[in-house]
Amino acid sequence: MQQFWQECGGAGYGAAPVAGVMGPAAERHRALCLIGAGAGGGGTARLTARLAERVLDRLSGPAAQIEGVDLHLGDPGLTARARDAGAFVLLLPPPGNLTNAFYRVHPRRNDRFIAARAPLRALFPEVDFAPVAFTGHALATLSATCPERFALVRAELERVWRLRLLLLLERLPPRGVLLDPPAARGLMPPRLPEMRALPRVALGDRQGAVQMICAALRRRPV
C-alpha cells in the first residue's frame, strides 16, 4: 500500500504513527500535517474517515495546541517538503504564541514567554513580568489588569499573526484544511483575508472536520 501521509506533527513523541509519517520533519511540527501528492490521485480512495480521525487525534494533542506560527516559519526545510506534498492540514496557531513588538517568545517552544519589551513595560508599568514564564499567563495578567490597554496588545498580536500566517500559507500546498483550536483565554485566531479559499472548521467539530478533510483532499487544486 502506497504511503501518502508524508509528515504529521507529533511523531517521535510516543504517539502511534499515522501511515507514512516520517521522523525528523514530524518531530518538528506537531500542528501541521503535509500529505503526499498520492492523495490527489488514486490515493484518495485510501483517504478514509478513519485516517482523517487519526490525523485529528494527532493535531488535538497538547503540544500541537501551543505550537506557534514562528516555529513553522523558522523551519528552513519546510518549503522544500511542502513543494512535494499534495495538501496539508494545519491547526491554526495561537495568536499570542509569537514574538512581536511587545514581547519575545522561545523560538521552538512558542508558548514560553521570554521577555517583555520596552513598549509593553511602558504600557503596563504596574505589571511585574519577572515571574511570567508562559504566554497564557502573560495575556491573562494583562487582560485582568486593564482590558482597554490589553485591547492594544491584542490588536498588534492579531495583525502580526495574520501577516505571518499568510506567509506560511504561501509555503504550503494550494489544497488544505484549517482547524480552529479550542478557546484559549479568549484569544482566538482571527478571520483571514480572502487570499486563499481554504475550508476552516473547529477542531471540536470532529465529524465536520473529518468530512471537510476528506472533501478538501479529493478536490483538485486551483
Side-chain angles (χ1 to χ4, degrees):
M1 175 176 176
Q2 180 184 358
Q3 293 178 333
F4 60 81
W5 294 99
Q6 277 194 327
E7 76 180 60
C8 181
Y13 288 83
V18 176
V21 172
M22 301 176 68
E27 290 175 7
R28 184 173 291 131
H29 301 271
R30 279 89 73 189
L32 172 65
C33 285
L34 293 180
I35 300 169
T44 55
R46 296 185 293 273
L47 183 56
T48 64
R50 183 183 175 201
L51 287 177
E53 287 175 354
R54 294 181 68 186
V55 171
L56 289 177
D57 288 339
R58 188 63 57 78
L59 298 181
S60 300
Q65 295 185 33
I66 63 173
E67 198 166 81
V69 67
D70 287 355
L71 181 139
H72 301 309
L73 291 176
D75 178 5
L78 178 60
T79 300
R81 295 196 303 276
R83 192 179 300 121
D84 295 331
F88 72 91
V89 182
L90 173 67
L91 178 64
L92 287 170
N97 291 7
L98 50 77
T99 291
N100 57 84
F102 288 109
Y103 58 84
R104 292 190 298 109
V105 303
H106 192 280
R108 293 181 302 279
R109 291 294 304 273
N110 300 153
D111 64 322
R112 299 293 180 92
F113 185 93
I114 299 300
R117 288 177 160 168
L120 185 59
R121 294 185 180 279
L123 187 62
F124 287 88
E126 70 272 43
V127 173
D128 178 14
F129 292 98
V132 176
F134 294 93
T135 56
H137 180 193
L139 297 177
T141 299
L142 298 178
S143 179
T145 301
C146 180
E148 292 77 14
R149 282 178 282 162
F150 175 68
L152 300 176
V153 176
R154 178 164 55 189
E156 172 63 9
L157 292 176
E158 292 180 350
R159 184 190 70 83
V160 176
W161 183 89
R162 284 190 180 96
L163 291 175
R164 294 187 191 164
L165 189 68
L166 291 174
L167 180 60
L168 173 62
L169 292 178
E170 290 176 357
R171 302 181 184 183
L172 298 178
R175 293 186 299 165
V177 175
L178 303 177
L179 301 176
D180 272 308
R185 299 187 184 274
L187 197 58
M188 290 292 291
R191 305 306 300 179
L192 284 167
E194 294 300 325
M195 293 186 65
R196 291 185 60 174
L198 292 170
R200 181 169 173 175
V201 65
L203 180 63
D205 180 8
R206 191 172 183 87
Q207 182 178 359
V210 167
Q211 293 175 350
M212 191 169 289
I213 290 173
C214 293
L217 301 185
R218 290 188 174 100
R219 191 178 302 127
R220 290 189 178 276
V222 178

